[in-house]
Amino acid sequence: MTWLDVVAEDDLADGAAALFRSAFGGEPDGVWIAPGRVNLIGEHIDYAGGLVLPFALPYATAVAVRRREDTVMRAVSTRTDESWTGQLEEIGPGTPSGWAAYVAGVAWALQEHRIGGVDVAVHSSVPVGSGLSSSAALECSFALALSDLFGLAVDRNVLIDASIRAENEIAGASTGGMDQNIAMSARAGHALLLDCLDGSTRQIPIDLAASGTSLLVIDTNAPHRLVDGQYGARRAALDTACSELGVATLRGLPLEEAVSGLVDDTLIARVRHVISEIRRVELAVDLLDGGAAGAELGELMTASHHSLRDDYEVSSPELDSAVDAALRTGAYGARMTGGGFGGSAIALVPSDLVRTVADEITSSATRSGLPAPTFLIAEPAGSAHRFF
Ligand code: ADP
Ligand code: MG
């Protein structure tokens, strides 16, 4: 079984600073750190005006950054040999391509605030491309660095918006804003209830240990599939449903009303997922408000998975295998998390069963010829901050 070690913040910062010295020479002006996240419940509804309930992970991205006197930007990362050097004014949709779009895009989105050139070195403990939000961790750590280094007198919402624009417009990934919100607003020991209709948030205390439970994250290590278009297709289906129903949002619409107003079975299934998932988030928040994070919360998670698998059709054999194995071995509940089609699943597990559950998930993946997953334990961590 492979467990992903938590990297202490000073080691993470050291890694970024060491890369900075070897790539650029001299010392960075500072190091900024932002976390990855898991979404406890509320999947594929951020772009549908729904409610989501993510929390930050103790896995994070550190950026070591130094101001320059010109308008050049240079970016390097310990995850790739591919570096980028360019002028701030050449940044735009598709330029740069590749990973540097996520950092360059943030500088681009903040250009009206008179950002100058910078050198940036990245070091991360967030698995990349596993649905644990390495992209927002990168954008948000860098957005905070630019804000501090250039004395931007803006609140975090401006940095959240800049990070979202970087991802949507420069990196070309049309994701919702959940990841950037949690990276910037997380509080240790809390999940963040984010209302995607009006952008309001509420911190929800979550004490897994007090309920004797652990949240096991299962990175399926599934090979990346060609699913481009699936995400857009789901969003488009919801737009079609809204226009057929004559509503601006599915939020607040009773399920029976939505079902009776639609004819296409696939469309009905997609809408059923959205409306039922929003309800599950509300119920999960009620449970957490009451201090419960055990069997009942687990049931909601499992129902969420079935809805994503059957009605929304965004699961995968790897995710289903992990969820089924967890449930067979005593997990309170389990579900895919993130965009789906691979990536990660989560299981709410009585703490004394964590190893048994992880064992069975691994064996069952191996039996089915699937990649062996990587495991980590999620404990709600804090938000993006300056390390030094
Ligand atoms: P996730 O956010 O779930 O990890 P995404 O596909 O949204 O997956 O973002 C992953 C992309 O973000 C990577 O392909 C890469 O371009 C960029 N990225 C994230 N972290 C790093 C890093 N530490 N170094 C270089 N690129 C990174
Ligand atoms: Mg991402």
Side-chain angles (χ1 to χ4, degrees), residues 126-363:
V126 186
V128 169
S130 298
L132 302 176
S133 191
S134 69
S135 58
L138 179 54
E139 293 146 12
C140 292
S141 54
F142 186 57
L144 200 59
L146 290 180
S147 176
D148 285 351
L149 286 176
F150 292 94
L152 272 49
V154 298
D155 73 22
R156 286 197 171 202
N157 287 326
V158 172
L159 305 180
I160 291 171
D161 287 344
S163 298
I164 295 170
R165 288 193 67 197
E167 181 143 350
N168 289 344
E169 296 177 48
I170 305 302
S174 83
T175 53
M178 168 170 71
D179 302 352
Q180 294 81 3
N181 269 282
I182 183 65
M184 284 295 199
S185 312
R187 190 182 294 171
H190 292 73
L192 185 76
L193 176 63
L194 171 64
D195 184 328
C196 302
L197 201 55
D198 63 11
S200 63
T201 58
R202 179 155 79 86
Q203 299 285 349
I204 311 288
I206 171 168
D207 189 349
L208 296 170
S211 316
T213 57
S214 300
L215 193 77
L216 178 67
V217 180
I218 307 119
D219 177 355
T220 61
N221 291 319
H224 196 68
R225 285 199 195 78
L226 277 180
V227 291
D228 295 355
Q230 291 286 354
Y231 190 88
R234 295 301 180 281
R235 292 185 76 142
L238 298 187
D239 288 344
T240 306
C242 281
S243 73
E244 286 185 16
L245 290 164
V247 295
T249 169
L250 296 171
R251 182 81 171 274
L253 197 67
L255 183 55
E256 313 75 59
E257 205 174 299
V259 169
S260 64
L262 297 167
V263 271
D264 182 72
D265 284 341
T266 304
L267 221 48
I268 289 173
R270 303 292 191 252
V271 166
R272 188 162 54 221
H273 167 69
V274 169
I275 293 178
S276 66
E277 185 77 352
I278 292 173
R279 184 70 193 132
R280 282 186 289 272
V281 178
E282 291 168 344
L283 293 170
V285 169
D286 288 346
L287 288 173
L288 292 170
D289 279 342
E296 290 168 289
L297 180 60
E299 276 169 33
L300 292 172
M301 290 167 58
T302 305
S304 167
H305 184 75
H306 292 155
S307 178
L308 288 156
R309 183 191 64 191
D310 303 334
D311 278 346
Y312 220 61
E313 297 184 272
V314 291
S315 190
S316 72
E318 296 84 358
L319 292 164
D320 292 340
S321 164
V323 166
D324 294 345
L327 294 175
R328 273 202 307 277
T329 39
Y332 288 132
R335 58 183 289 272
M336 53 159 277
T337 184
F341 302 109
S344 298
I346 52 176
L348 190 68
V349 182
S351 295
D352 54 350
L353 285 181
V354 163
R355 294 201 79 81
T356 313
V357 169
D359 248 337
E360 177 56 20
I361 292 171
T362 304
S363 319

Side-chain angles (χ1 to χ4, degrees), residues 9-77:
E9 283 205 339
D10 37 6
D11 292 333
L12 210 56
D14 281 351
L19 176 65
F20 186 97
R21 280 181 217 108
S22 68
F24 306 126
E27 292 297 316
D29 292 333
V31 170
W32 289 258
I33 294 180
R37 61 98 188 96
V38 281
N39 188 23
L40 202 50
I41 196 158
E43 211 66 72
H44 272 282
I45 55 173
D46 57 342
Y47 53 80
L51 298 166
V52 296
L53 193 60
F55 67 76
L57 289 171
Y59 297 83
T61 295
V63 292
V65 189
R66 185 173 62 201
R67 271 182 77 149
R68 297 173 58 96
E69 296 307 317
D70 55 18
T71 53
V72 168
M73 186 170 162
R74 295 191 292 178
V76 292
S77 166

Side-chain angles (χ1 to χ4, degrees), residues 68-121:
R68 297 173 58 96
E69 296 307 317
D70 55 18
T71 53
V72 168
M73 186 170 162
R74 295 191 292 178
V76 292
S77 166
T78 52
R79 286 289 169 85
T80 168
D81 291 335
E82 194 188 311
S83 60
W84 182 69
T85 299
Q87 286 287 340
L88 289 176
E89 53 269 28
E90 76 186 73
I91 303 167
T95 307
S97 59
W99 77 272
Y102 293 86
V103 276
V106 173
W108 171 85
L110 290 171
Q111 60 193 331
E112 70 186 71
H113 298 281
R114 296 169 179 275
I115 298 297
V118 287
D119 292 328
V120 50

